[in-house]
Amino acid sequence: MPKEYRTIQEVAGPLMLVRGVEDVSYNELAEIELASGEKRRCKVLEIDGGNALVQLFESSTGINLSNSKVRFLGRSMELGVSEDMLSRVFDGLGRPIDNGPEILPEKRMDINGLPMNPAARNYPQEFIQTGVSAIDGLNTLVRGQKLPIFSASGLPHAELAAQIARQAKVRGTSEPFAVVFAAMGITFEEANFFTQSFRETGAIDRTVMFVNLANDPAVERIATPRMALTAAEYLAFEKDMHVLVILTDITNYADSLREVSAARKEVPGRRGYPGYMYTDLASLYERAGRLKGKPGSITMIPILTMPEDDKTHPIPDLTGYITEGQIILSRELYRQSVAPPIDVLPSLSRLKDKGIGNGKTRADHANTMNQLFAAYARGKEAKELMVVLGEAALTDIDKLYAKFSDAFEQEYVSQGYHANRNIEETLDLGWKLLSILPRTELKRIKDEFLDQYYGKQ
Amino acid sequence: MKKGTIKKVAGPLVIAENMRDANMFDVVRVSEQRLIGEIIEMHGDLASIQVYEETSGLGPGEPVESTNAPLSVELGPGLIGSIFDGIQRPLVRIMNETGNNLKRGIEIPSLDRDASWHFVPTKKVGDKVEAVDIIGLVQESVIIEHKIMVPHGFEGTLISIQEGDYKVEDVIAVIETLEGEKKEITLMQKWPVRVGRPYKEKMSPDMPLVTGQRVVDTLFPIAKGGVAAVPGPFGSGKTVVQHQLAKWAEADIIVYIGCGERGNEMTDVLNEFPELKDPKTGHSLMERTVLIANTSDMPVAAREASIYVGITIAEYFRDMGFSVALMADSTSRWAEALREMSGRLEEMPGEEGYPAYLGSRLAQFYERAGRVISLGADGREGTLSVIGAVSPPGGDISEPVSQATLRIVKVFWSLDSNLAYRRHFPAINWLTSYSLYSDNMGKWFNTSVDENWMELRSRLMHLLHDESELDEIVKLVGMDALSSPDRLKLEAARSIREDFLHQDAFHEVDTYSPLEKQFKMMELVLAYYDKALHALEQGASINELVKLPVREKIGRFKYIASDVMEKEYKDILENLDRDLDRLLKKEEA
C-alpha cells in the first residue's frame, strides 16, 4: 500500500505542491483523493528533495489542503491496451464513456512511449489513395507519414478529415486497418460529426475514440493524444494493423501546454507558448511511422486551426517543421465554394517523391505534378495582374494560364466531399487541364509522356 | 571518489549534492540506470547536470557518479558509414541489441570493439614522431584510407610498430618519450568534444567546394573551408538542399548531423546514400559519410551535444588531410535545446528567451571550420566546410538565431517560400542571397573551367537584377508598356530562372551538374539573349522571338547527360542561328 500524504502545501491552477514526500520520482503518476472519496489523477512535474510539484490532469475544484490525500503510484501514466478497444469510446484519460464494460487489458503501456531508433525506421513509401485529387495528385500521402491539416476557424477541416478516413486505402491490399481518433477540446457537435461519419461507413467497428470535449478539463488534453498514440502503437506494432490517427485540435492541446507552463512561471517563448513546445509536439508527431520487421504502420493526420489564419503562428509553424508536409485550407477558396478548399501551392507532402511513379501510381505522375504546380502558380500571378490592369494587359500565353488556373480550381480541386477519384482519374484530369496550355510550355514533362498523354483526354 | 546523490529532477535537468570532487563538464552517470549526463554548473556542493536521456522515474536519493572525464568521442576506424546518436552511441548496434525503440542507460561503445582492421605502418622503429604525425594506414572503406595519427601529447621515438590485423583498442605502436617514458598508441583515440582540435596554421580558403548545384556553384559558391547558412521557413526545401550538398559536394568526407529534425529524413539518408554513386570515385556515397542523428523525439539535451560530436569527428578527418564538409540540420533546434536548458537553470534570458551566450556559442562552433595546416612534422592541408541550416520561426530571419548566424557566415543561401510554392527548386532567392567568396573564387573558376566564367556570371546576375526592376513596372502598367528589348530581357531572365537556376533534385541527370555543363548552360541562355537582341535590331518581331522553337531545346539541355552534352550544345547553337535566319527572312518577305 503506497504512503498517503496530507501535506498539500498549495494549489494554483493545474499545479499542486506536496511537502515532505519520500521515494517519489520524476514523471510518476499520483492520485489525489478528496474528502468525498473522489479520486483524480496527477503526475510529478518536478521533484526537489521532499517537495513534489504535481500537475493535475483534472479540475482542482474541491481540493482541500487539510483533508485531501495524495498517493504516489510508483509508475508513470499507463494505458491498458487490448484489441477490444476497437469500436469503443474513451474519455481523454482512457476511461470508457460509452457505457460499455471496462477493458480487460492485455498489457499496460507507458503513454509517453519510447523514441524510435532512426536506424530502425522503415522509410514510408506506400501510396495511400485518399480519393481527393488535390492530395493524391499533388500532395501524395504515404503510409507512415504525418501530414497535418492547417485549417482555421470556420473552415471545413472536419469534412476533409472524415473524407480521408472514409476513402483512404492502399490499392490492391486488404490488410487490417484501424482508425484512432483523439478529440482535444473540440465541441460536441464536431466530435459527433466524426462519430456519425464513422458509423455511416461502418468504420466505427474499427475505430478507437478518445474524446476530450471543450467542457472537459483543459489539462486532461495533455494526456489525450498520448493515450491515442499508445493505443495506435499497440495496434500497429503488436497487432500488425495499419492505423490512421486523427488528432483534432492541436491548437487546443498547445493552449493547455501553455496553461501549465504559465502556472509554473516558466520563461515563455513566442506568444507565451513554452520554449520546449517544439520538443513536446515532436514527441507526439514523431510517433508516426513504420518500423523494420513490423508490417503495421501509423499514419497521422493532426488537425490544427491557425489563429487569425496565420501560418507563422507558433503552433502551425512548429508543426510544419516537424511534420512531413501540410495540407492548407484557404478561406478564399472556401468563399468561392471550392470544396475541399485546399490551397495547393503552400501545401506540401515531403514524402510524395518516394510514393509515386512507376509501379506505385503512374510513371508520368512526378512530371505532371510539378507542371501543374508551376502552371497554377503562374496562372494565379497572371490573374493578380489581371485584377490590377485588366485582361488586355496580359499576353496571350498568360491568358491561357489564367484560364488554366480557373479550370484547375473548379475541376481538379473542387470535387466535393463525396467524390472518390482513383489515381488514374486524377492524373487524366491533370492532363486534360494541362492540354489548355501549348505543348512548348510544358517544360517539366518528359517528351515520352507528352507524346503519350498530351491532348489525348 | 565519493558518490553524489540526486536532490532535484526537473525534465532533463538533475541537481545532485555531494559533488564537490567533480569537475565542470565532467560526464556523470545518473541513478541506478546509469543514464549519461554532463555537469554544466557547480554551486558549492551542488552540481547541475544535463542528462542526455529521458529522466522519467528518477528521484531524490539515487546515486550520481562522476567519470572524471569530459564528454569525448572515440576516433578511429569504424566511423565511416556509421550512424550515431547525439552522444556518439552506435544506433545500428543499439537496434540489434535492444530493438526498434531507444531504451535508456544503454552502454555500447561507439566504435565496434570486435571489428578487426588491417594496419599498415608508414613509419618504422627508430623514427622520431610527434603529435598528429601519421604512423600508418587502415583501409577503412573502399575509398577512405584512414590515417592513424599519433595522439596529442605524444612525442618521441618509435620503439615498436607492426603491420597486422588489430582491433581498435589494440596497441599498434609504442613510443619512448624524451624522458624515457613508454607510451602506447592504439588504433583509437579520444578527444573532448567541446575543445577544437589544434592545428599549426589557419589559412584563407582558396578554392570552391563544388556541389553540382547550379545556383550554388555559379551564383553563390562556398569555399572549401568556408561556412554557409541556409535559413528558410518550413517547406522551402532546406533539407533537400542539405541532402543535395551531402550527396554531391566534392569533399572526401561528409559528416551529416540531423539535429532535432525528422526521423524519416535520417532513414532516407540511410537508405539512399548506399545506393547513390559518387560521381568522382564511382563508389557508394555511404563510403564517405558519417551520420549523427538526434531526431526531434530523442532526448533534447543530447541535441546540444550532437553538433559538437559531429564537428569533432570532422576535425579528426581534417587533420588527416581530407577535405571535409559538415552539414548541420538544423542549428535552430540546437539553439532551442540551449534555451531549454538555460530556462531550467533559471538563467536571465536574452532575446526571445535564448540565453545571452547564444551568439558566442554559435560563433565558436562555426569558427571550427577552415582551411588549416595540421600539426605534425609533415603538416597536411585539410579543409572543413560547415553548412548550417537555420529554421527561423515563420521564416522571419530577424530572430536571434538567424541574426547571430548571419554575423558569422560568409555565404547566405536565402530560401524563399514563394519560390517553393512555384516549385522552383532549389528555392534559393537570387536577389537576397550572397556569397562573400565569389570574388576570391573567381580566379579559380576562370582558370579551371573557362576564362569567361566570371563575366558570364555577372551578366546573369545583372539580368536577374534588371528583371526584378522590370517586374515592378509590369505590375503597375502591364507588359504592353515595355519596349521590345525590355520584353526580351524579361524573357532571357525567365530562361535563366527556369532553364538554368531551376534544378530537379529527383532527376537522374539534373541532380548533379558538372561545372563544364553549368558553363555551357550559361552560354546557351545568354546566346539566345544576345542573338535575339541582334535579330530584334534587324526588325524581327518580339512575339516571334519569344516563341522561337529552339528555346524548348535550351530548356531541356539540363536533362542531357554529360557525355553527349557537347553534340547537343552544338546542335542547339546551330538551331538557334537557323531559327533566327528563318525568322528574319520571313519578316523581310
Side-chain angles (χ1 to χ4, degrees):
Chain A
M1 194 51 200
K3 268 192 203 164
E4 283 183 355
Y5 296 97
R6 287 173 184 263
T7 49
I8 302 175
Q9 180 77 19
E10 50 184 81
V11 183
L15 299 184
M16 201 164 67
L17 186 69
V18 189
R19 280 281 174 86
V21 299
E22 279 170 19
D23 286 334
V24 168
S25 61
Y26 172 67
N27 238 349
E28 187 174 338
L29 186 67
E31 217 173 43
I32 170 162
E33 191 180 324
L34 305 190
S36 62
E38 187 192 340
K39 286 177 185 169
R40 291 180 192 163
R41 282 197 270 182
C42 46
K43 76 166 185 181
V44 178
L45 274 190
E46 192 176 300
I47 171 85
D48 187 356
N51 296 343
L53 183 69
V54 177
Q55 177 209 320
L56 287 157
F57 281 114
E58 288 160 76
S59 129
S60 53
T61 315
I63 293 180
N64 181 301
L65 297 191
S66 59
N67 61 18
S68 299
K69 292 177 283 192
V70 181
R71 256 192 306 273
F72 294 90
L73 304 176
R75 56 180 165 90
S76 54
M77 196 146 184
E78 289 171 337
L79 176 71
V81 288
S82 144
E83 266 185 277
D84 298 335
M85 296 175 89
L86 288 170
S87 82
R88 299 292 304 273
V89 185
F90 302 89
D91 74 355
L93 290 174
R95 294 171 294 214
I97 49 169
D98 54 357
N99 301 321
E102 286 286 322
I103 297 288
L104 287 176
E106 186 188 309
K107 64 188 284 192
R108 304 192 67 85
M109 292 168 75
D110 185 335
I111 64 160
N112 291 308
L114 285 169
M116 286 187 196
N117 186 332
R121 279 182 189 263
N122 227 340
Y123 198 74
Q125 45 191 352
E126 269 176 295
F127 166 67
I128 296 181
Q129 181 179 299
T130 63
V132 181
S133 291
I135 297 179
D136 291 352
L138 301 174
N139 298 294
T140 318
L141 178 69
V142 296
R143 255 185 194 168
Q145 184 172 13
K146 37 191 179 296
L147 188 65
I149 298 176
F150 286 12
S151 181
S153 314
L155 293 182
H157 47 266
E159 281 82 354
L160 178 62
Q163 186 180 16
I164 295 171
R166 199 164 56 227
Q167 300 178 351
K169 62 170 184 181
V170 171
R171 301 211 297 168
T173 60
S174 55
E175 289 153 334
F177 77 97
V179 177
V180 173
F181 177 83
M184 292 165 276
I186 61 174
T187 58
F188 168 77
E189 278 173 50
E190 194 169 344
N192 197 42
F193 168 81
F194 278 100
T195 320
Q196 287 302 334
S197 158
F198 294 146
R199 194 163 284 146
E200 275 161 28
T201 54
I204 193 84
D205 293 339
R206 310 213 49 84
T207 302
V208 188
M209 298 185 84
F210 292 86
V211 182
N212 165 284
L213 293 181
N215 57 349
D216 290 332
V219 276
E220 185 181 296
R221 279 164 214 161
I222 294 179
T224 308
R226 297 190 161 82
M227 293 282 167
L229 285 162
T230 306
E233 277 173 0
Y234 167 77
L235 294 173
F237 301 130
E238 308 212 2
K239 296 295 162 193
D240 299 344
M241 292 183 195
H242 293 285
V243 184
L244 178 70
V245 180
I246 298 176
L247 306 174
T248 178
D249 177 327
I250 294 292
T251 307
N252 296 334
Y253 170 81
D255 285 348
S256 297
L257 212 59
R258 177 165 69 175
E259 189 180 328
V260 174
S261 170
R264 292 183 70 180
K265 302 190 173 63
E266 291 171 332
V267 180
R270 276 206 306 155
R271 297 213 180 189
Y273 291 96
Y276 50 80
M277 191 159 84
Y278 177 85
T279 312
D280 191 276
L281 288 175
S283 72
L284 300 180
Y285 298 144
E286 278 290 324
R287 289 170 80 171
R290 310 205 56 175
L291 285 171
K292 282 183 183 154
K294 304 271 183 186
S297 65
I298 298 180
T299 309
M300 195 191 292
I301 301 189
I303 298 171
L304 58 89
T305 46
M306 298 183 278
E308 298 158 43
D309 296 11
D310 176 12
K311 194 161 69 89
T312 64
H313 184 280
I315 301 170
D317 189 56
L318 295 179
T319 298
Y321 275 121
I322 306 163
T323 54
E324 285 136 351
Q326 65 276 339
I327 302 291
I328 298 188
L329 301 188
S330 144
R331 201 173 290 281
E332 196 191 324
L333 290 177
Y334 181 63
R335 281 200 208 105
Q336 297 166 19
S337 12
V338 171
I342 297 177
D343 193 355
V344 297
L345 292 181
S347 296
L348 168 75
S349 161
R350 291 165 189 272
L351 302 183
K352 61 181 184 299
D353 299 292
K354 299 278 162 65
I356 63 175
N358 212 354
K360 287 177 173 149
T361 54
R362 209 165 71 184
D364 58 315
H365 192 158
N367 280 203
T368 47
M369 174 180 76
N370 287 328
Q371 191 67 62
L372 282 169
F373 271 124
Y376 180 52
R378 184 149 173 213
K380 291 252 287 193
E381 274 174 23
K383 278 176 68 184
E384 271 170 32
L385 207 61
M386 206 158 81
V387 171
V388 184
L389 301 166
E391 197 174 343
L394 295 189
T395 59
D396 290 347
I397 194 79
D398 277 342
K399 277 179 199 147
L400 284 180
Y401 273 111
K403 185 178 160 207
F404 166 84
S405 86
D406 284 336
F408 178 81
E409 283 172 8
Q410 289 310 322
E411 294 181 41
Y412 197 91
V413 182
S414 188
Q415 64 177 79
Y417 297 108
H418 293 278
N420 187 358
R421 292 181 187 157
N422 67 31
I423 184 66
E424 284 79 13
E425 285 169 342
T426 294
L427 290 173
D428 289 346
L429 180 59
W431 277 106
K432 183 181 148 206
L433 294 171
L434 286 175
S435 301
I436 294 174
L437 300 170
R439 184 175 160 146
T440 44
E441 285 295 312
L442 307 182
K443 285 186 189 171
R444 309 216 170 163
I445 305 184
K446 285 187 187 163
D447 275 329
E448 47 181 299
F449 300 134
L450 285 170
D451 292 343
Q452 197 178 346
Y453 299 106
Y454 180 73
K456 304 274 164 73
Q457 263 68 39
Chain B
M1 78 168 263
K2 267 200 319 202
K3 273 190 189 175
T5 46
I6 296 182
K7 180 173 177 292
K8 174 180 175 179
V9 187
L13 177 76
V14 166
I15 295 181
E17 50 196 358
N18 240 339
M19 298 293 290
R20 199 170 284 280
D21 293 346
N23 309 314
M24 269 297 272
F25 291 109
D26 270 1
V27 170
V28 292
R29 294 297 191 148
V30 181
S31 93
E32 305 292 349
Q33 304 191 51
R34 298 184 61 74
L35 308 185
I36 300 171
E38 191 180 10
I39 297 179
I40 51 174
E41 244 180 38
M42 303 278 284
H43 296 281
D45 207 25
L46 298 179
S48 302
I49 299 162
Q50 67 172 344
V51 180
Y52 292 129
E53 296 176 82
E54 172 59 45
T55 50
S56 285
L58 262 54
E62 294 196 65
V64 176
E65 193 183 332
S66 170
T67 60
N68 279 324
L71 184 66
S72 303
V73 287
E74 295 185 354
L75 301 167
L79 288 170
I80 301 285
S82 293
I83 175 165
F84 299 105
D85 78 353
I87 46 173
Q88 214 207 5
R89 286 181 300 184
L91 286 170
V92 173
R93 270 183 291 138
I94 288 180
M95 174 180 77
N96 293 340
E97 291 202 12
T98 65
N100 287 332
N101 292 92
L102 292 167
K103 300 194 174 64
R104 296 188 290 169
I106 302 161
E107 287 188 67
I108 296 180
S110 305
L111 295 176
D112 193 348
R113 293 293 186 268
D114 298 325
S116 167
W117 303 95
H118 189 74
F119 170 75
V120 183
T122 52
K123 295 264 191 231
K124 53 186 190 304
V125 172
D127 284 351
K128 286 213 180 323
V129 291
E130 56 181 79
V132 191
D133 273 349
I134 293 171
I135 54 166
L137 302 170
V138 164
Q139 193 71 40
E140 183 174 1
S141 78
V142 194
I143 44 174
I144 298 300
E145 208 167 45
H146 196 114
K147 301 177 173 78
I148 305 300
M149 296 177 290
V150 177
H152 287 267
F154 284 41
E155 190 174 353
T157 317
L158 274 172
I159 54 171
S160 105
I161 184 167
Q162 240 180 11
E163 182 171 349
D165 291 329
Y166 295 98
K167 294 179 179 157
V168 286
E169 284 180 311
D170 292 343
V171 175
I172 49 161
V174 181
I175 290 180
E176 191 174 84
T177 61
L178 296 173
E179 293 81 39
E181 199 185 339
K182 289 197 176 65
K183 284 189 166 178
E184 294 177 333
I185 299 178
T186 56
L187 271 188
M188 176 189 94
Q189 45 181 292
K190 286 195 174 187
W191 190 263
V193 297
R194 295 188 195 276
V195 184
R197 285 174 64 89
Y199 43 80
K200 201 180 282 170
E201 191 191 346
K202 201 168 205 170
M203 296 169 300
S204 292
D206 65 341
M207 67 183 285
L209 179 72
V210 177
T211 63
Q213 310 303 306
R214 289 186 290 269
V215 61
V216 171
D217 291 346
T218 309
L219 296 189
F220 311 109
I222 173 175
K224 277 188 174 167
V227 282
V230 206
F234 64 84
S236 57
K238 254 187 326 291
T239 302
V240 178
V241 168
Q242 290 274 34
H243 280 198
Q244 283 298 96
L245 296 179
K247 282 174 192 166
W248 309 121
E250 203 187 28
D252 302 314
I253 305 275
I254 301 288
V255 178
Y256 191 95
I257 309 170
C259 177
E261 290 291 304
R262 305 175 184 90
N264 280 327
E265 280 169 4
M266 293 315 290
T267 315
D268 190 23
V269 174
L270 275 177
N271 289 347
E272 200 176 10
F273 277 31
E275 309 288 323
L276 290 170
K277 297 260 178 295
D278 181 354
K280 220 171 68 178
T281 63
H283 288 287
S284 140
L285 286 175
M286 205 62 198
E287 309 272 351
R288 63 165 197 182
T289 308
V290 184
L291 298 174
I292 313 284
N294 176 282
T295 57
S296 56
D297 54 340
M298 283 157 82
V300 68
R303 199 160 301 159
E304 196 266 333
S306 65
I307 70 164
Y308 295 108
V309 166
I311 202 157
T312 309
I313 293 173
E315 282 176 335
Y316 172 67
F317 283 108
R318 174 205 69 191
D319 283 351
M320 293 182 201
F322 287 121
S323 101
V324 185
L326 176 134
M327 282 94 198
D329 184 14
S330 136
T331 54
S332 293
R333 304 297 161 230
W334 169 81
E336 281 167 9
L338 215 59
R339 174 169 70 182
E340 185 169 343
M341 286 318 293
S342 163
R344 302 220 189 243
L345 288 169
E346 290 163 14
E347 292 172 339
M348 185 65 84
E351 251 180 296
E352 289 195 15
Y354 286 104
Y357 46 79
L358 172 71
S360 58
R361 291 276 175 92
L362 263 174
Q364 277 163 12
F365 167 70
Y366 279 111
E367 199 52 25
R368 286 171 77 169
R371 181 166 80 107
V372 306
I373 302 288
S374 71
L375 294 176
D378 58 339
R380 300 157 294 273
E381 183 183 319
T383 58
L384 170 50
S385 323
V386 174
I387 298 154
V390 186
S391 318
D396 172 13
I397 62 163
S398 65
E399 55 94 37
V401 183
S402 305
Q403 286 303 313
T405 307
L406 287 181
R407 286 207 297 272
I408 309 156
V409 300
K410 297 267 194 316
V411 182
F412 171 60
W413 297 314
S414 159
L415 294 174
D416 183 339
S417 53
N418 283 322
L419 289 176
Y421 295 166
R422 271 188 269 160
R423 296 309 186 258
H424 175 101
F425 287 114
I428 296 177
N429 186 313
W430 46 87
L431 297 173
T432 50
S433 303
Y434 58 79
S435 164
L436 299 182
Y437 296 118
S438 54
D439 292 331
N440 281 346
M441 299 300 130
K443 211 192 294 165
W444 186 91
F445 279 114
N446 281 347
T447 49
S448 308
V449 191
D450 194 288
E451 54 182 9
N452 292 323
W453 178 282
M454 285 311 278
E455 193 195 320
L456 294 193
R457 175 190 179 270
S458 84
R459 290 196 57 201
L460 288 193
M461 288 299 277
H462 276 125
L463 278 171
L464 289 168
H465 177 75
D466 291 351
E467 184 198 26
S468 72
E469 290 183 347
L470 288 173
D471 262 347
E472 295 291 311
I473 299 175
V474 171
K475 280 202 186 108
L476 287 176
V477 291
M479 193 64 103
D480 289 341
L482 292 187
S483 66
S484 295
D486 278 348
R487 280 192 61 190
L488 187 66
K489 199 178 245 178
L490 276 185
E491 278 303 316
R494 187 159 82 91
S495 170
I496 297 173
R497 284 189 282 116
E498 293 181 3
D499 304 337
F500 183 78
L501 295 178
H502 174 269
Q503 191 167 0
D504 186 350
F506 300 98
H507 187 280
E508 63 271 33
V509 174
D510 199 30
T511 183
Y512 175 79
S513 201
L515 291 180
E516 290 71 26
K517 187 171 170 188
Q518 298 190 20
F519 183 73
K520 288 254 171 349
M521 290 176 72
M522 278 200 275
E523 280 191 318
L524 285 178
V525 170
L526 290 171
Y528 164 75
Y529 178 58
D530 293 341
K531 293 191 175 171
L533 197 60
H534 187 67
L536 199 63
E537 281 160 11
Q538 299 192 341
S541 109
I542 177 72
N543 287 328
E544 293 297 319
L545 284 172
V546 169
K547 282 190 287 195
L548 221 51
V550 71
R551 297 194 64 198
E552 195 189 339
K553 294 194 90 166
I554 297 178
R556 289 183 184 279
F557 187 71
K558 57 177 137 182
Y559 303 122
I560 306 291
S562 307
D563 44 341
V564 289
M565 169 179 90
E566 200 68 36
K567 184 180 163 296
E568 181 70 17
Y569 169 75
K570 289 206 181 93
D571 275 0
I572 292 177
L573 284 182
E574 278 167 26
N575 266 323
L576 178 61
D577 287 338
R578 204 167 47 225
D579 283 357
L580 285 172
D581 272 351
R582 204 177 291 149
L583 190 64
L584 284 174
K585 287 215 180 82
K586 208 167 80 185
E587 298 278 336
E588 280 165 23

